[in-house]
Amino acid sequence: MIRYPFITAAEDAADAAGAVIRPLFRSPLLVEAKGDASPVTRADREAEEAIRALIADRFPDHGVIGEEHGADRPDAEWVWVVDPIDGTRAFVTGRPLFGSLIGLLHRGEPVLGIIDQPVTGERWVGVKGRKTRFRGPAGTAACRPCATVAEAELSCTSPDMFTPEDRPGFERLRAAARRVTWGGDCYAYGLVALGLVDIVAESTMKIWDWAALVPVIEGAGGRVTGWKGETLTPEADGRILAVGDPAMLDEAVRLLTDR
């Protein structure tokens, strides 16, 4: 059972990150290049620092894995997984299709997750064993029925994210789906939890890209797995599949893996 101090801390951490991010949104930023050529800004670094400082103060024995500042005690029983701005390209171009991701692993299992959009004020809070809570101007956290891929709204951040080995599987899924939309990063997964998108399939994802998403979507009635339908672990290969209706999972897996 997840204790309330963990949930409170996660929300307070999201608030702390938002206080850093909001004043910098749509402002002139010095954009640097990370090793993978994605942009990183002052907002990424300082937002993660604010989150890590809060966690260290309240739970000094917990571990933290963050995109910007690396891992500290990643083998601890409780490990926080942080992506301060998931969707940095959207952030630096003034589009509010990004979010802060704060997840908590217990012995490697995602048990708490927050998707926070600090500009629009939307927030998804997922806790294992509980219904996902959504705060926003409209919408309720509940995935919609969609039993077949042919009926599904498919989303993906970018077609360029797939390796040559993964591209054929995604193309099979894309061809079978009703419609595909691009962009959104973590925001697209939030839309799955609101019943507005039915599938997201992506690859080359790091643990900080997906750990917070699992409790959010599964608390809204969906599933998040690997492309083979397997449970995600810290050793996952980066291929992530989210479906709003679990009845569609097997079909999506068959398309992605050509089984």
Side-chain angles (χ1 to χ4, degrees):
M1 191 69 162
I2 302 303
R3 299 193 290 268
Y4 279 105
F6 293 172
I7 302 170
T8 300
E11 295 216 60
D12 289 348
D15 290 340
V20 172
I21 293 166
R22 281 190 297 275
L24 297 171
F25 182 61
R26 294 180 181 167
S27 67
L29 295 172
L30 176 62
V31 179
E32 303 169 357
K34 289 196 290 188
D36 62 0
S38 63
V40 60
T41 69
R42 169 185 159 194
D44 294 85
R45 294 189 297 269
E46 293 184 4
E48 184 171 317
E49 288 164 8
I51 293 169
R52 294 175 82 114
L54 187 147
I55 292 168
D57 179 64
R58 299 195 193 181
F59 310 111
D61 58 333
H62 287 197
V64 182
I65 299 171
E67 181 178 16
E68 303 302 334
H69 295 289
D72 179 24
R73 293 191 297 278
D75 297 324
E77 179 180 2
W78 298 92
V79 178
W80 296 83
V81 184
V82 177
D83 189 348
I85 299 181
D86 183 75
T88 307
R89 288 183 176 86
F91 176 75
V92 299
T93 54
R95 292 172 291 161
L97 297 178
F98 65 91
S100 297
L101 294 177
I102 301 171
L104 178 62
L105 308 180
H106 182 234
R107 295 173 178 165
E109 178 186 4
V111 293
L112 168 63
I114 287 183
I115 305 172
D116 188 70
Q117 213 310 320
V119 176
T120 65
E122 295 168 293
R123 179 176 294 175
W124 293 256
V125 180
V127 178
K128 183 182 178 183
R130 302 185 191 178
K131 182 176 174 56
T132 293
R133 172 165 49 90
F134 174 68
R135 183 191 75 191
T140 301
C143 299
R144 66 185 175 192
C146 182
T148 68
V149 174
E151 304 172 75
E153 298 284 347
L154 169 65
S155 184
C156 176
T157 296
S158 169
D160 297 330
M161 74 189 315
F162 298 105
T163 65
E165 294 77 18
D166 292 340
R167 187 61 183 258
F170 178 78
E171 289 299 335
R172 286 190 296 270
L173 183 67
R174 177 185 180 184
R178 177 186 179 192
R179 186 164 40 231
V180 63
T181 56
W182 303 104
D185 294 275
C186 66
Y187 198 84
Y189 294 86
L191 296 177
V192 173
L194 293 182
L196 299 170
V197 169
D198 303 298
I199 318 177
V200 184
E202 300 188 319
S203 69
T204 63
M205 300 271 278
K206 304 295 191 294
I207 190 170
W208 49 77
D209 294 316
W210 60 259
L213 307 176
V214 177
V216 169
I217 290 179
E218 297 197 344
R223 289 286 309 279
V224 184
T225 72
W227 278 20
K228 297 177 182 178
E230 74 275 23
T231 298
L232 294 174
T233 70
E235 295 74 37
D237 64 10
R239 298 186 298 172
I240 306 302
L241 171 64
V243 296
D245 188 339
M248 187 171 45
L249 180 62
D250 288 347
E251 181 188 4
V253 166
R254 286 196 301 273
L255 289 163
L256 288 168
T257 60
D258 196 25
R259 294 196 307 210

